[in-house]
Amino acid sequence: MIGEDTFLTNAEEQYLADAITTLETEVFVDGLGYDHFRALDENEVSREVWQEYVSRMGEAGFNCISVPEEYGGPGGTILQTVLAEQAIGYCGNIVHACQTSLTQHVGRTMYEHGNRHIKETYLEPMASGDLVVSQAYTEPRSGTDIAHLETSAERDGDEWVVNGEKRFIDFAPYADFYFTPVRTGGEDGDRDGVSIIVIDRETGGIELVEDQSDWHGFRGTGASWMQFDDVRVPEENLVGAEGEAWAYITDELNLEHLTVARYCLGASQQALEIAANYTANREVNERPVSRYQAVNHKIAEMTTRLDGAYLLNTRAARIMDDRGVSAGRMESAMAKWLGNDLAHDIADTCIQIMGGIGTTTSYPIEQIQRDVRAGRFMGGATEVMKSVVQSDAYKELLDEEFDGDLVGNEREGLPWLNVDQQPARTRDE
Ligand SMILES: Cc1cc2nc3c(=O)[nH]c(=O)nc-3n(C[C@H](O)[C@H](O)[C@H](O)COP(=O)(O)OP(=O)(O)OC[C@H]3O[C@@H](n4cnc5c(N)ncnc54)[C@H](O)[C@@H]3O)c2cc1C
């Protein structure tokens, strides 16, 4: 199978095969099978469904894979983490893979920086599948540029008081808690002064002001625009040190780049297998479509590039296993950019070689194509991945002569970074 033998040891190949078997026999069955995937696409979903899903995943050992056993995880590797995400994308749906991916990188951050309260109250129950998690990063005026976040938290006695807005937040209506970056100090745009706070869903002052889930694909998460209005959170819900979360966020995104790319590739692999099967059996002018070189070369190209994307992703995961999740920033950005653009390209090409039937719901490919489109944004847009790569690449290529200003990041003086000149849309506009 494609995606096997991409520099995996026998044990790792077995892990991938076992993961697929477990998912097919224990998770994506009894109410969470194919009909449920279709229901997700119609945004027909409930809190109970997501609780059931995370519970089955906890039991099967897929949540928080790289978190040690003493904190509730199975104590696996980053490589096992990305293989599991590939398997979920392959035999489930990437919306499921996203929820599980949150447990991987949010869980990892809680394990590395969280206090005892965070670990006992959130990390361990999330790993066992008792809690649904949501990651509330994006804001109306700050998406890519997280340092410009405007949601604030101020101390009041032994509590934090949180005010602000977040948008595009998956699982907002279904989650038990929100993993939320806030500004606790510094100036707009500073990396210092950013903190992460865990906010319980039931806390007063949280309002889901707009349902945003009716988008292009990747439906069923209840994506929402959220408002925090004097939300009071116990001080122990701060993750790590006050004002120092920038480094935690960067690390977390490094890992998320790999999981998002890997589960989208898993989904595109499913599309590729369906298309290969269809074109081998569909006859046009009395010969299988697969006999036409215009078609079979596409299968060859997709297969080759998919294997390459898996290899790149595996390499970055190995770097993180060897040197920690801070390492391999450039390699994980490469893997995300290439992996997510490719996943979308594969799904789209599969539709093309299947003809009109590919655009219908007779096959899951059109849903996969719409779903994986989101991967080119989630966890960081493709363009941002290229900015990361160019900066690190120049640093390596120019060695000690490297001057950041020489290559820049297209950040200075552009109107789209100046919120005064070009305000982002607000809800009422
Ligand atoms: C399906 C889906 C699910 C999502 N789920 C969540 C979620 O659960 N939680 C959450 O917090 N967020 C979520 N998001 C938001 C996502 O993280 C953001 O959309 C993404 O970070 C980009 O931010 P933005 O949309 O504000 O785009 P902007 O930051 O406004 O950027 C617009 C475009 O400008 C370009 N650009 C920006 N900066 C640079 C740069 N430095 N160099 C080059 N080009 C640049 C990019 O092309 C980018 O796509 C989700 C998004 C989608 C589409």
Side-chain angles (χ1 to χ4, degrees), residues 135 137-138 143-144 168-170 215 218 374 377-378 381 383-384 387:
Q135 180 176 253
Y137 277 35
T138 305
T144 300
F168 304 148
I169 308 306
D170 292 314
W215 47 17
F218 199 77
F377 289 115
M378 290 188 304
E383 292 75 11
V384 177
S387 282

Side-chain angles (χ1 to χ4, degrees), residues 142-277:
S142 143
T144 300
D145 47 349
I146 296 173
H148 289 273
L149 87 175
E150 292 179 331
T151 299
S152 65
E154 287 179 17
R155 265 184 196 281
D156 184 20
D158 57 2
E159 290 180 321
W160 294 102
V161 182
V162 180
N163 281 288
E165 289 180 277
K166 302 279 179 179
R167 71 169 174 177
F168 304 148
I169 308 306
D170 292 314
F171 308 105
Y174 313 126
D176 294 286
F177 67 88
Y178 306 109
F179 193 73
T180 319
V182 291
R183 183 161 291 289
T184 52
E187 300 293 322
D188 181 42
D190 285 353
R191 294 174 174 190
D192 288 342
V194 176
S195 303
I196 293 177
I197 290 182
V198 177
I199 305 177
D200 279 336
R201 184 175 63 106
E202 299 297 347
T203 318
I206 301 175
E207 204 185 337
L208 306 190
V209 289
E210 184 180 314
D211 173 33
Q212 303 185 294
S213 60
D214 192 21
W215 47 17
H216 183 64
F218 199 77
R219 297 180 184 159
T221 69
S224 301
W225 190 310
M226 305 177 70
Q227 200 160 306
F228 298 96
D229 196 4
D230 283 338
V231 175
R232 304 189 81 87
V233 183
E235 65 178 349
E236 66 263 32
N237 278 28
L238 181 76
V239 178
E242 179 180 340
E244 292 182 19
W246 184 263
Y248 315 158
I249 290 172
T250 314
D251 283 357
E252 197 195 325
L253 289 174
N254 265 1
L255 181 52
E256 188 178 0
H257 295 163
L258 292 192
T259 55
V260 173
R262 198 85 182 207
Y263 62 67
C264 288
L265 288 170
S268 73
Q269 183 179 336
Q270 187 195 141
L272 179 54
E273 288 178 8
I274 292 168
N277 192 43

Side-chain angles (χ1 to χ4, degrees), residues 15-307:
Y15 180 88
L16 177 61
D18 289 347
I20 290 172
T21 305
T22 305
L23 289 164
E24 286 177 343
T25 57
E26 296 173 25
V27 178
F28 295 122
V29 290
D30 300 336
L32 294 186
Y34 183 68
D35 288 348
H36 160 65
F37 303 159
R38 299 293 314 147
L40 284 174
D41 199 37
E42 301 293 332
N43 280 317
E44 287 166 8
V45 67
S46 65
R47 204 170 134 64
E48 290 67 37
V49 165
W50 281 111
Q51 281 173 330
E52 176 64 20
Y53 170 71
V54 300
S55 161
R56 289 187 196 181
M57 293 300 269
E59 220 156 277
F62 288 121
N63 294 335
C64 305
I65 289 173
S66 72
V67 170
E69 285 179 25
E70 62 176 310
Y71 298 111
T77 61
I78 300 295
L79 187 59
Q80 287 174 339
T81 303
V82 296
L83 291 175
E85 292 292 339
Q86 174 186 330
I88 304 167
Y90 174 69
C91 55
N93 180 288
I94 70 161
V95 173
H96 296 106
C98 171
Q99 169 58 216
T100 305
S101 163
L102 291 174
T103 76
Q104 316 297 358
H105 42 88
V106 168
R108 179 93 200 169
T109 310
M110 286 181 169
Y111 155 64
E112 289 191 336
H113 306 289
N115 58 27
R116 194 187 174 88
H117 165 73
I118 293 285
K119 288 188 171 99
E120 287 178 359
T121 315
Y122 301 102
L123 175 57
E124 291 174 21
M126 177 169 66
S128 60
D130 294 324
L131 297 181
V132 178
V133 48
S134 172
Q135 180 176 253
Y137 277 35
T138 305
E139 300 188 0
R141 290 171 192 273
S142 143
T144 300
D145 47 349
I146 296 173
H148 289 273
L149 87 175
E150 292 179 331
T151 299
S152 65
E154 287 179 17
R155 265 184 196 281
D156 184 20
D158 57 2
E159 290 180 321
W160 294 102
V161 182
V162 180
N163 281 288
E165 289 180 277
K166 302 279 179 179
R167 71 169 174 177
F168 304 148
I169 308 306
D170 292 314
F171 308 105
Y174 313 126
D176 294 286
F177 67 88
Y178 306 109
F179 193 73
T180 319
V182 291
R183 183 161 291 289
T184 52
E187 300 293 322
D188 181 42
D190 285 353
R191 294 174 174 190
D192 288 342
V194 176
S195 303
I196 293 177
I197 290 182
V198 177
I199 305 177
D200 279 336
R201 184 175 63 106
E202 299 297 347
T203 318
I206 301 175
E207 204 185 337
L208 306 190
V209 289
E210 184 180 314
D211 173 33
Q212 303 185 294
S213 60
D214 192 21
W215 47 17
H216 183 64
F218 199 77
R219 297 180 184 159
T221 69
S224 301
W225 190 310
M226 305 177 70
Q227 200 160 306
F228 298 96
D229 196 4
D230 283 338
V231 175
R232 304 189 81 87
V233 183
E235 65 178 349
E236 66 263 32
N237 278 28
L238 181 76
V239 178
E242 179 180 340
E244 292 182 19
W246 184 263
Y248 315 158
I249 290 172
T250 314
D251 283 357
E252 197 195 325
L253 289 174
N254 265 1
L255 181 52
E256 188 178 0
H257 295 163
L258 292 192
T259 55
V260 173
R262 198 85 182 207
Y263 62 67
C264 288
L265 288 170
S268 73
Q269 183 179 336
Q270 187 195 141
L272 179 54
E273 288 178 8
I274 292 168
N277 192 43
Y278 181 87
T279 54
N281 289 290
R282 165 81 176 167
E283 291 200 356
V284 175
N285 287 324
E286 296 173 348
R287 62 206 295 222
V289 176
S290 59
R291 292 273 183 87
Y292 294 104
Q293 208 164 63
V295 168
N296 61 37
H297 273 193
K298 283 198 171 59
I299 295 283
E301 287 162 12
M302 288 189 281
T303 306
T304 306
R305 292 165 71 204
L306 180 58
D307 251 2

